[in-house]
Amino acid sequence: MREEETLARRTALAVLGAGLVAGCSTYGGGTNGTSAPAPAAGSGTELGAAGDVPVGGGKVFADKQVVVTQPAAGTFAAFSAICTHQGCAVDAVADGTINCPCHGSKFKIADGSVAAGPANQPLERKTVTVTGGKITLA
């Protein structure tokens, strides 16, 4: 191969590589590139009616990847709906636990701590407010 061809190929590869790196750096910001910008102060995402979350139980808002519980009347807690074991989505709240269908992990509705493994880390806490009977994710 001639020296000019080699130089042209190296230049083309360098430009292509730089473009790929620049393109990848445009996205992300989180550890897996799926983070969204934080909501503006005072704004939030309405999840639903507080009346839909039973006392001593909870409700999974799958489209928002959040589970909201009400361990005692008027006390609401919220957690990520993503199991800390292998990233499956929890799908039910029953008998005082938030339950993952993939491997059977269970988390306590009061604080998201592990009630039964194989998960060994609690669910990530989320912040919600309840105003006018509506639950809002901060």
Side-chain angles (χ1 to χ4, degrees):
M1 189 178 292
R2 295 182 316 185
E3 188 173 332
E4 297 91 29
E5 290 175 339
T6 302
L7 182 58
R9 279 192 177 165
R10 286 183 181 164
T11 302
L13 288 173
V15 170
L16 177 63
L20 289 173
V21 169
C24 290
S25 66
T26 302
Y27 304 99
T31 57
N32 62 4
T34 60
S35 66
S43 69
T45 302
E46 187 177 304
L47 296 175
D52 292 342
V53 180
V55 176
K59 178 174 173 132
V60 178
F61 295 91
D63 60 328
K64 303 295 186 215
Q65 296 186 333
V66 174
V67 59
V68 177
T69 63
Q70 190 175 183
T75 302
F76 292 85
F79 309 96
S80 168
I82 303 303
C83 181
T84 57
H85 175 237
Q86 288 190 347
C88 292
V90 299
D91 70 345
V93 181
D95 301 321
T97 60
I98 302 163
N99 306 313
C100 181
C102 294
H103 301 105
S105 292
K106 295 179 183 287
F107 303 89
K108 297 177 184 176
I109 64 169
D111 60 7
S113 64
V114 177
N120 60 13
Q121 297 292 316
L123 292 174
E124 176 187 346
R125 279 196 171 273
K126 299 288 183 178
T127 301
V128 291
T129 57
V130 178
T131 307
K134 299 287 182 186
I135 303 168
T136 303
L137 178 64

